[in-house]
Amino acid sequence: MRKERLIVPVVVALAVVWAVAQYLASLLFERELVRALADLEARGELVTERSEVERGWLGSSGVVHLSPVLGDGWRLELTYSARHGVFSTRIEGGFHPAIGPRQLHLFGDWLPSSPPSWHARYQTLGGTLEGIIQLAPFLISQGPRELDFRGGQLSFGGQQGDWRLRARLQPWRLTDGVATLESGPVSLESHYAYTAGAHHFTQRDLLRIDQLAWQQPGLALEASELVYRSRMQLDDSELRIDSELTLAEVLAAEQVLLTGRVAMELSRINADGVREALAGLRREAAKARELAPRELIARLEPELRATLVDSPRLDLTEVDLESPMLGLAARGDGSLFFDPRRLDELSLARLDDEEERARWLTRIDGDGIWREVPAVVALWLGLPLGTRDLELDVIRGRVRVNGRPMPPLWR
């Protein structure tokens, strides 16, 4: 009898524990979703909203709206339906992008394909999310134009402060009459790590295109193994961007037209200026009014000029390009610097004026070298035939080659 009397309170206690755990799981899911959207918006590039939100112990649903801070070029709606468990939450939904001022749906209005679906799982204890978006194949024709897309997959995962994205697109082909562009497979790996409010962040991207081919009557180009790497970092002092493009080879008429590597770095962009400019951009976007680009730049000019106070620097850290077909090669490096003195004399909003562009050019200085320059290039620049290296100097926007003013490139 004593054991039988214990059954009821044990069952009640277990039910209470389950209910509390279920309630906490739904609260944690909602909290992490709100934080993730806030982090996306803190980056300064997107506006995030939610609609049709329903919250419950056993399930939640809603629609997440993503759009650029300025402009109406695109909009993305992510529908979600979450089933909460004590230890994990399973999420399913749809992926609905819209493009253009009329916000026509990409899948349905533009493409004869159903919207991609996505599903994910959120681990309650670890706070991690892992998900997949499937892209279905489709074929679209419009007169002589045809796009044949063979599908792909996007996977994402991570937790607050550390997210990863992997994309894999199968080969696709675009035909326009007698011209054809083919690409793929294409892969992208992206890693974004950040502190609260995106005050600091680091983003690494790796894009790889296995094949890229262009064909038309009289011309056929085929590139293989195009690899682009980039690293963007915002810290206490500066925004720095390192990038590298590697090209295995470009073939024309079954000969190697181009091969090689280019690496560059943009640095010394004032970090506080970047954060102030992004905050100003968000303020202007929140006013929900259309501004011409020139008017917007004029409003944000103090913040944009503040990004230049540390003398931004562009370094071509390595150029190593070769064209066996043409018998040419380019190997060298160089740097350009911006003079930030008397910034109030310059105007970004008036850059379409020739005189204003000339003022900005006078703030550019730098130097570089082209090693083992081909003889044909030396002759083209009016230099002696035996010239081995080109020493380039940029002084207040004017280029000198081996101590001489740069001659006109087009005569």
Side-chain angles (χ1 to χ4, degrees), residues 4 10 14 61 70 77-78 81 107 120 138 153 155 158 262 272 283 302 310 312 320 362 379-380 385 405:
E4 293 176 353
V10 168
L14 290 175
S61 63
L70 292 173
E77 294 181 357
L78 291 172
S81 175
F107 298 94
F138 60 80
Q153 177 178 286
S155 62
V262 176
D272 289 334
R283 287 195 302 271
D310 293 333
D320 187 1
T362 61
L379 289 174
W380 187 34
L385 185 60

Side-chain angles (χ1 to χ4, degrees), residues 6 29-30 34 54 70 86 99 155 158 168 200 283 381 384:
L6 287 175
F29 169 78
E30 179 66 21
V34 170
E54 295 185 7
L70 292 173
V86 173
I99 58 178
S155 62
R168 178 73 173 178
H200 298 161
R283 287 195 302 271
L381 295 173

Side-chain angles (χ1 to χ4, degrees), residues 179-390:
T180 301
L181 175 64
E182 294 185 77
S183 177
V186 177
S187 63
L188 170 66
E189 295 183 12
S190 184
H191 179 205
Y192 177 50
Y194 57 93
T195 60
H199 190 78
H200 298 161
F201 67 78
T202 300
Q203 180 168 333
R204 293 181 173 87
D205 297 297
L206 172 61
L207 174 66
R208 182 186 298 273
I209 303 176
D210 290 355
Q211 296 287 333
L212 185 64
W214 170 265
Q215 290 185 340
Q216 67 179 52
L219 177 64
L221 298 175
E222 182 177 344
S224 62
E225 295 184 30
L226 283 78
V227 180
Y228 175 74
R229 295 180 176 87
S230 71
R231 179 176 181 268
M232 180 188 300
Q233 182 175 17
L234 178 67
D235 57 24
D236 281 333
S237 60
E238 68 175 339
L239 173 68
R240 179 187 296 267
I241 304 172
D242 299 301
S243 57
E244 173 189 299
L245 176 64
T246 303
L247 180 60
E249 60 182 19
V250 177
L251 299 178
E254 300 183 352
Q255 296 186 57
V256 179
L257 176 63
L258 184 65
T259 182
R261 172 180 178 270
V262 176
M264 64 179 63
E265 177 185 80
L266 179 62
S267 61
R268 302 203 306 219
I269 302 176
N270 183 268
D272 289 334
V274 170
R275 285 186 273 265
E276 291 170 5
L278 292 175
L281 189 61
R282 287 194 292 271
R283 287 195 302 271
E284 292 299 327
K287 295 177 182 178
R289 59 178 178 177
E290 290 293 331
L291 292 175
R294 184 168 182 169
E295 185 180 358
L296 176 63
I297 292 173
R299 289 179 175 275
L300 298 178
E301 194 147 36
E303 292 88 349
L304 294 173
R305 282 200 297 246
T307 65
L308 307 176
V309 298
D310 293 333
S311 183
R313 169 174 178 155
L314 176 64
D315 288 288
L316 277 171
T317 53
E318 183 180 358
V319 177
D320 187 1
L321 298 173
E322 185 175 1
S323 175
M325 181 179 178
L326 301 178
L328 298 176
R331 297 183 177 89
D333 54 69
S335 302
L336 291 174
F337 310 86
F338 179 79
D339 181 356
R341 293 174 293 181
R342 303 183 304 279
L343 279 174
D344 57 338
E345 298 178 358
L346 302 175
S347 172
L348 283 162
R350 295 197 304 270
L351 270 176
D352 55 352
D353 180 73
E354 186 175 351
E355 292 184 3
E356 186 62 29
R357 289 197 299 270
R359 292 190 190 98
W360 281 84
L361 283 176
T362 61
R363 301 302 188 95
I364 304 297
D365 297 286
D367 56 69
I369 186 169
W370 183 346
R371 299 181 181 87
E372 300 179 7
V373 61
V376 65
V377 175
L379 289 174
W380 187 34
L381 295 173
L383 298 173
L385 185 60
T387 300
R388 298 286 296 171
D389 298 334
L390 286 186

